[in-house]
Amino acid sequence: MAFYITTPIYYVNAEPHLGHAYTTVVADVVARLKRLQGEEVFFLTGTDEHGDKIVRAARTAGLSPREYVDRMAERFRQTWPLLHIQYSRFIRTTEPYHQRLVQQVLAQLYEKGELTFGEYEGLYCFGCERFLTPKELVDGCCPDHHTPPTPLKEANYFFDLSRHQEWLLDHLRRHPDFIQPSGYREEVLGLLREPLEPLCISRPKSRLSWGIEFPFDPRFVTYVWFDALLNYLSGIGYPEDPSWQKWWAAAEHVIAKDILKPHAVYWPIMLRAMGLPPYRRLHVHGYWNLHEAKMSKSLGNVVRPEVLVSRYGADRVRYFLLREMAFGQDAEFSEEALVLRTNAELANDLGNLVFRTLSMVKKYFQGQVPEPGREFPGDRELAQGILSRIRNYFEEMGEFRFHRGLAALNEAVNLANRYVDREAPWELKKKGELERLSRVLYQLLEGLRVLAVALSPVMPRSAEILLQNLGLSPEEELSVEAALTWGRLRPGTPVERGPVLFPRLERPIQEASKSSPEEKTGQELYPLEEFKKWDLRVGEVVAAERVPGTDRLLKLTVRCPEERTLVAGIAEHYRPEELVGKKVVLVANLRPARIRGVLSEGMILAAKGSSGLKLVVPEGEVEPGAEVG
RNA sequence: GGCGGCGUAGCUCAGCGGUAGAGCGGGGAUCUCAUAAGUCCUAGGUCGGGGGUUCGAGUCCCUCCGCCGCCA
C-alpha cells in the first residue's frame, strides 16, 4: 500500500518557527507510523518562494530575491533533520520542474475555458497581496497591516471557482472525513453556502515580477497560491513520472487552520478543473499560543525549533508537541509545560521503568534476558493490558488523535510500573524464588520492547537506543506486528542498561519566549517590579474647590508632603468642604495633564462601588507623603 | 451583522440522558529494583447564570453573560 503525506510548503519570508515544526513533526510521525505498518511512504515538504512579500523581505535583507530564497530554503532544509524529520523530497517552487508544471496547468485550464480575462478595480493591500473589499477596511486601513490600501485598476486572469462549487459541496457530503477534524469541515460547508467569487490568479509584472510567468501572456505572473498548491503534484513528478498516480491516490495534506480555505476550496476545485481526483484527506491543526499571543509568522513571537532541540532534545520536543496539543484545537506552549510533561511521563514513568527493569536484569541475571518459564496469575493480564493499550494507541494515532494515543501508551507504562510494584522482584530475589523472578523480568523486558516499537514513530532516536539496549536490531524489530506480539525476546540475549533514557530536568530551562503569563480571566499579569514603578503615596487634602463650568471635577491641593494640585472627577460624590483635612491615596508619578486649564499632577484613588464612588483612605493615622505599596 | 465553537476540581482537559471523571500540581502513606523516581490514598467542584423538556440533564431545548473562530 502506498501513502502520500505532505506539509504545506513554507513561505520563506520568515525563519522556521514552532508552528512549522509542529506541522512537520506531525507529518513525520504519521509517515513513520505508516512505514511501521509496512506501507510505502512518500513524504513531501518544502518551501514556497514567490510573491511580493518575498521581494520585500529580500530587499530588507539587502539581497536579491534569488539569493534570499536560496538562503531561507536552506534554513528550513537544515532545521528538519534536527527534529529527526525524514522526508522523501524537499520541493522548492523556484525549481524549473515545478515552474514548468504551473505553466502547463495554466495553459491547460486556459484552453479548457476555465480562465477568464477581465478588468478589476479595487483597493489593493501590498501586505496582503490582494484586493480588499471596502467593508473590510478599518478606519480606511487594511485590518491586518494597518496601512491604507492603494486604489488599483488592472486587468487579470480569473479562475471561476463557482463553476465547480456544487461538485465540491457534493464531494464533501459524500466524504465526511475529507476534511478533519469535523469542525473544519463544517466551516468549509459554511463557506460553500455562499457563491464563490472568481479567484484572481495573475499579477501584472508591472507590480510584481517575482513569480511564474503566464505561458500565454508574458505580461503576467502567477498568483502565489495557485503556484504553491501545485507543489503537491510537481513534488511527486506529475505528470512525467508515472509513479505520481500511485502517490496521488493516497494523498493526505497536513495544514494549520489559517490556510484552510486555499486547501479546502481552491485546491480541490483546481484539481477538478484539471480533471484530477481530489486528495484523500485534509488534516487541520490549531495554533500554538505562546501564552496569549498567536504563533503567527507576521509577529515576532516565535520559538525557534533549533533552540528547543538544543535544550531538550528532538525526541522530548516531538513527544511534547504531540502529547500536549489536541489535534485541531489550539494549545498553549511553554517550556515549563514541556519540562513538567516530559519529566512526569518520560523521565518518571517511562524512563524510570526502563532503567529499573534493566538494572534488575543486570543485577539478577548478569544482563541476559531470563527464561520466561511458567505463567503466573497477573502475567497474562500485564501482557494483554499493554498490548490492548498499544492497539488503542495505533488506532488513535492513525486518526490523528495523537494526544489520546500517547495517553493510552502512558497507561501501558503505568501497568508495567504497577506490575513491578506488585511482584516486587527484589523480594523474589531475597526469598530465592528464581523461577518467578525470571518470569517477572521477562515480562517487563517484553513490555519495554513493545513500547519501544510503538513509540518509534514519535521518538525514533530513543526507541532505537532502547531496542539496542534490549539486544535487538532496530531494523528487524520495527513493525506493527512486532509491537503487537508478546514474547519475541530470546532468553540469553545480552541486554545493556545504558545511560538514563530521559534524564529528569530539575527545573524549566529559562523561557525562550519572553511574554507575560495570563490568567484564564484574560487579565494580563505583571511582575512585582512593574507595580513598583508606581509611586503611590498618602496625601492630605489642604484645599478643594470646584472647577468652574464642570459638574464632576474638583481641583484639589494635596500635601504629600510637598503641595501639589490635581484634578479629580469626584464632585458628584464629595463636596469640597468635606474633603479638606482628609487623607487620600494618590498616584504621584503620573505625567501631569492639563484638565480644563488646570495642571493636574497626580490621580486620587477611589473605589467605584454600587453605592457610588468612595475614596481610598488609610485606615489609621499616617503622615502625608507615606509610601503606599 | 450571519454561521459555528467554547465556558466541568488550582491548571490542562475527558464525559454528552441515569449516583460528577482523568492527568498534572497540592496533601498523606508506603516499597527500595529505580532518574528524591514507583505504588497506594486524598480534590468535596452551584459542571458560566436563568428558565424549560424529562421519572431523571454538565449531558436535550430556550435565553442571558463571557470568551473565541470563520464569513460578511
Side-chain angles (χ1 to χ4, degrees):
Chain A
M1 278 264 279
F3 182 75
Y4 174 35
I5 191 157
T6 71
T7 72
I9 43 174
Y10 301 116
Y11 205 54
V12 292
N13 68 335
E15 301 267 317
H17 59 62
L18 183 63
H20 299 125
Y22 178 71
T23 313
T24 311
V25 166
V26 163
D28 185 64
V29 167
V30 174
R32 287 174 185 270
L33 273 163
K34 295 290 177 179
R35 290 190 202 111
L36 203 62
Q37 285 162 13
E39 297 193 18
E40 199 186 353
V41 172
F42 197 98
F43 170 15
L44 182 71
T45 187
T47 43
D48 183 6
E49 307 184 1
H50 290 124
D52 201 35
K53 276 187 269 195
I54 303 292
V55 176
R56 272 178 293 142
R59 198 175 299 143
T60 308
L63 297 170
S64 72
R66 181 78 234 180
E67 289 168 326
Y68 178 79
V69 298
D70 282 351
R71 176 185 292 192
M72 291 303 292
E74 202 47 33
R75 285 281 296 113
F76 279 87
R77 200 201 292 272
Q78 285 172 357
T79 296
W80 303 142
L82 301 176
L83 276 162
H84 299 160
I85 305 294
Q86 236 173 35
Y87 54 76
S88 311
R89 170 146 153 62
F90 190 98
I91 189 172
R92 302 178 54 185
T93 55
T94 47
E95 289 171 20
Y97 188 88
H98 174 77
Q99 308 217 14
R100 272 208 310 280
L101 171 67
V102 172
Q103 293 184 325
Q104 212 172 304
V105 170
L106 284 168
Q108 182 200 355
L109 294 189
Y110 191 54
E111 272 165 36
K112 287 176 83 173
E114 295 277 355
L115 306 186
T116 55
F117 188 69
E119 193 150 82
Y120 183 84
E121 183 169 16
L123 298 167
Y124 189 82
C125 172
F126 285 91
C128 305
E129 294 184 32
R130 67 183 184 101
F131 285 95
L132 305 174
T133 63
K135 284 183 198 166
E136 283 180 277
L137 302 184
V138 178
D139 298 328
C141 291
C142 166
D144 294 331
H145 295 85
H146 310 293
T147 53
T150 314
L152 269 187
K153 183 174 181 180
E154 16 173 272
N156 268 311
Y157 287 92
F158 290 87
F159 177 35
D160 187 7
L161 298 171
S162 63
R163 197 187 288 190
H164 302 288
Q165 185 162 356
E166 269 312 309
W167 163 80
L168 180 55
L169 211 43
D170 189 56
H171 185 79
L172 235 55
R173 292 201 183 105
R174 286 171 193 271
H175 302 272
D177 64 345
F178 185 55
I179 297 169
Q180 61 124 250
S182 62
Y184 295 105
R185 174 176 180 267
E186 303 299 325
E187 220 159 78
V188 174
L189 285 170
L191 278 174
L192 294 173
R193 269 198 293 270
E194 300 295 321
L196 292 168
E197 296 286 315
L199 182 66
C200 180
I201 57 161
S202 64
R203 293 291 182 270
K205 275 192 186 166
S206 57
R207 208 175 77 218
L208 171 74
S209 59
W210 186 244
I212 300 174
E213 186 175 278
F214 263 56
F216 46 85
D217 192 337
R219 293 173 302 166
F220 294 93
V221 297
T222 313
Y223 172 49
V224 284
W225 267 113
F226 193 91
D227 163 4
L229 288 164
L230 284 165
N231 92 87
Y232 299 132
L233 285 174
S234 61
I236 48 171
Y238 172 86
E240 286 168 24
D241 181 342
S243 67
W244 75 266
Q245 300 200 42
K246 168 178 77 177
W247 301 121
W248 187 248
E252 307 208 5
H253 301 308
V254 181
I255 62 166
K257 64 184 183 180
D258 57 334
I259 51 175
L260 177 62
K261 192 173 179 179
H263 283 82
V265 179
Y266 305 162
W267 179 226
I269 290 179
M270 282 167 65
L271 289 163
R272 177 72 176 172
M274 290 165 64
L276 291 180
Y279 52 80
R280 193 161 66 189
R281 290 202 292 178
L282 178 67
H283 305 276
V284 188
H285 72 251
Y287 292 140
W288 281 100
N289 296 323
L290 300 178
H291 302 126
E292 283 300 279
K294 264 178 209 157
M295 283 291 306
S296 155
K297 33 187 172 178
S298 304
L299 302 169
N301 216 354
V302 298
V303 172
R304 301 238 168 278
E306 68 271 21
V307 172
L308 289 175
V309 168
S310 70
R311 285 183 188 172
Y312 303 105
D315 280 0
R316 254 198 161 93
V317 172
R318 288 168 65 105
Y319 179 86
F320 176 77
L321 291 179
L322 290 194
R323 177 72 176 100
E324 191 77 0
M325 173 177 269
F327 190 87
Q329 292 178 261
D330 291 356
E332 191 172 300
F333 180 89
S334 72
E335 292 186 60
E336 190 184 0
L338 193 159
V339 169
L340 286 176
R341 180 126 246 159
T342 58
N343 264 355
E345 296 177 359
L346 296 183
N348 295 355
D349 294 348
L350 174 60
N352 188 231
L353 173 68
V354 169
F355 198 70
R356 69 199 302 207
T357 301
L358 294 177
S359 286
M360 287 188 280
V361 172
K362 182 181 177 188
K363 194 180 281 189
Y364 303 148
F365 292 96
Q366 296 76 49
Q368 294 191 342
V369 176
E371 290 287 339
R374 195 149 56 87
E375 191 174 75
F376 281 74
D379 292 347
R380 184 171 298 179
E381 285 72 8
L382 177 76
Q384 288 177 344
I386 290 177
L387 292 181
S388 84
R389 298 312 190 284
I390 288 179
R391 266 190 293 273
N392 185 225
Y393 160 83
F394 282 125
E395 242 169 66
E396 298 284 12
M397 297 296 279
E399 293 303 313
F400 282 61
R401 293 189 290 261
F402 311 110
H403 63 303
R404 293 174 64 164
L406 289 171
L409 229 45
N410 284 325
E411 284 180 31
V413 172
N414 189 242
L415 290 180
N417 271 323
R418 274 146 70 177
Y419 179 81
V420 174
D421 207 63
R422 191 154 19 88
E423 302 298 335
W426 50 92
E427 285 293 326
L428 298 173
K429 173 67 178 177
K430 241 182 257 173
K431 288 189 275 184
E433 296 179 29
L434 294 187
E435 190 194 352
R436 181 69 198 127
L437 177 63
S438 176
R439 175 69 189 200
V440 166
L441 287 178
Y442 185 85
Q443 289 291 94
L444 287 169
L445 287 172
E446 269 298 290
L448 295 188
R449 184 186 58 78
V450 295
L451 282 169
V453 177
L455 271 170
S456 63
V458 178
M459 300 191 287
R461 184 73 195 118
S462 308
E464 196 182 305
I465 292 169
L466 181 48
L467 287 172
Q468 278 166 353
N469 287 343
L470 291 172
L472 299 168
S473 139
E475 304 83 67
E476 290 168 30
E477 287 300 312
L478 288 179
S479 73
V480 170
E481 155 108 41
L484 293 172
T485 312
W486 198 265
R488 285 170 62 98
L489 275 170
R490 286 207 303 275
T493 308
V495 306
E496 292 270 345
R497 181 168 67 174
V500 162
L501 204 50
F502 302 102
R504 189 180 162 79
L505 303 174
E506 282 314 322
R507 61 176 61 82
I509 298 171
Q510 69 186 90
E511 289 286 314
S513 52
K514 184 88 188 91
S515 62
S516 51
E518 303 201 0
E519 277 213 319
K520 201 179 177 161
T521 56
Q523 199 181 22
E524 199 164 351
L525 300 178
Y526 295 98
L528 182 62
E529 294 71 55
E530 204 65 25
F531 173 75
K532 287 188 169 158
K533 288 178 185 169
W534 296 107
D535 180 12
L536 299 184
R537 293 190 223 164
V538 172
E540 182 179 359
V541 180
V542 294
E545 62 183 87
R546 286 184 175 277
V547 176
T550 69
D551 294 325
R552 300 181 51 240
L553 301 181
L554 290 182
K555 175 184 168 187
L556 306 177
T557 304
V558 177
R559 189 159 64 219
C560 60
E562 78 281 5
E563 286 193 2
R564 57 169 84 195
T565 58
L566 44 89
V567 176
I570 55 173
E572 288 166 327
H573 303 90
Y574 289 91
R575 281 170 291 122
E577 52 273 25
E578 65 179 313
L579 286 172
V580 177
K582 245 190 169 55
K583 297 271 176 31
V584 296
V585 175
L586 69 141
V587 184
N589 60 344
L590 269 186
R591 186 170 296 146
R594 196 164 287 280
I595 302 168
R596 286 276 174 167
V598 181
L599 190 69
S600 179
E601 303 167 296
M603 183 180 90
I604 288 198
L605 298 188
K608 201 179 286 174
S610 52
S611 59
L613 210 60
K614 302 291 177 197
L615 287 173
V616 172
V617 300
E619 182 268 331
E621 209 32 57
V622 191
E623 72 281 7
E627 192 185 322
V628 177

